């Protein structure tokens, strides 16, 4: 976006929108406004965030479970109570961790590509529409100019008779 003169992400979209609308609408400004106001793009950007969270979650293992038990008897001859400690860990998570991570990374890359594709498509559609509008406005201005010239020629011809 910086190469095309478009604003960088991170600012307040409402301020940017106000600033862009206060000037004559140029193609880059039209694209920026379309990107800011696209609900579908906003949804896809949110899904991109969820996909990134899934990558983080897929690379983590669940916490091991620690258990402790103290066994004592009512027998006065027992010298000390028995203490039992246990640690449980889900080894299947460890086995599937690389596959889960690859799958989550692939989903994240797919989501990134979908957002990029949608962004480029929207930008293209808006630019095409802007240039079509500019061409139509110029054609209308030419037509009005020709009609005004024809009207003057007619007035001159009538005045000359």
């Amino acid at each position: 976006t910086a190469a095309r003169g478009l604003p960088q992400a991170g600012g307040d979209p409402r301020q940017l929108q106000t600033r862009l609308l206060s000037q004559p609408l140029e193609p880059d400004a039209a694209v920026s406004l379309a990107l800011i106001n696209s609900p579908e793009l906003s949804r896809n950007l949110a899904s991109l965030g969820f996909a990134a969270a899934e990558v983080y979650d897929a690379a983590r293992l669940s916490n091991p479970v620690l258990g402790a038990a103290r066994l004592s008897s009512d027998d006065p001859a027992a010298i000390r109570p028995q203490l039992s400690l246990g640690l449980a860990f889900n080894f299947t998570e460890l086995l599937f961790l690389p596959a889960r991570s690859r799958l989550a990374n692939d989903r994240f890359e797919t989501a990134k590509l979908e957002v990029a594709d949608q962004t480029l498509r929207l930008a293209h559609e808006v630019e095409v529409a802007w240039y079509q509008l500019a061409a139509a406005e110029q054609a209308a201005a030419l037509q009005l100019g020709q009609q005004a010239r024809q009207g003057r020629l007619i007035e001159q011809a009538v005045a000359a008779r």
Side-chain angles (χ1 to χ4, degrees):
T1 57
R4 297 188 58 193
L6 293 176
Q8 296 296 307
D12 181 16
R14 289 171 290 185
Q15 287 179 350
L16 175 61
Q17 185 171 354
T18 302
R19 185 172 55 82
L20 292 173
L21 289 174
S22 69
Q23 305 165 3
L25 191 61
E26 296 295 324
D28 288 343
V31 168
S32 293
L33 289 168
L35 294 175
I36 290 169
N37 293 306
S38 172
E40 187 177 344
L41 184 59
S42 294
R43 277 192 304 275
N44 283 349
L45 285 170
S47 71
L48 183 63
F50 289 127
E54 287 177 7
V55 169
Y56 175 76
D57 192 44
R60 294 175 38 115
L61 296 172
S62 61
N63 291 332
V65 176
L66 177 64
R70 179 175 179 234
L71 304 173
S72 63
S73 99
D74 291 335
D75 183 10
I79 300 174
R80 60 185 159 148
Q82 291 182 351
L83 186 62
S84 173
L85 296 174
L87 183 65
F89 184 77
N90 189 343
F91 284 101
T92 57
E93 280 186 20
L94 186 61
L95 290 173
F96 289 115
L97 180 68
R100 281 191 353 218
S101 292
R102 273 194 313 273
L103 180 63
N105 278 322
D106 289 347
R107 287 181 181 165
F108 181 60
E109 290 301 317
T110 300
K112 285 194 313 188
L113 291 173
E114 287 173 355
V115 168
D117 178 61
Q118 182 185 11
T119 301
L120 292 174
R121 284 179 191 267
L122 180 59
H124 174 73
E125 289 171 8
V126 170
E127 281 186 350
V128 166
W130 188 91
Y131 284 111
Q132 286 175 342
L133 175 64
E137 287 176 344
Q138 289 176 358
L142 282 173
Q143 209 171 27
L144 284 175
Q146 287 176 347
Q147 288 175 353
R149 267 192 306 272
Q150 287 175 351
R152 282 193 303 273
L153 290 174
I154 290 172
E155 288 175 4
Q156 290 173 354
V158 170
R161 285 189 179 189

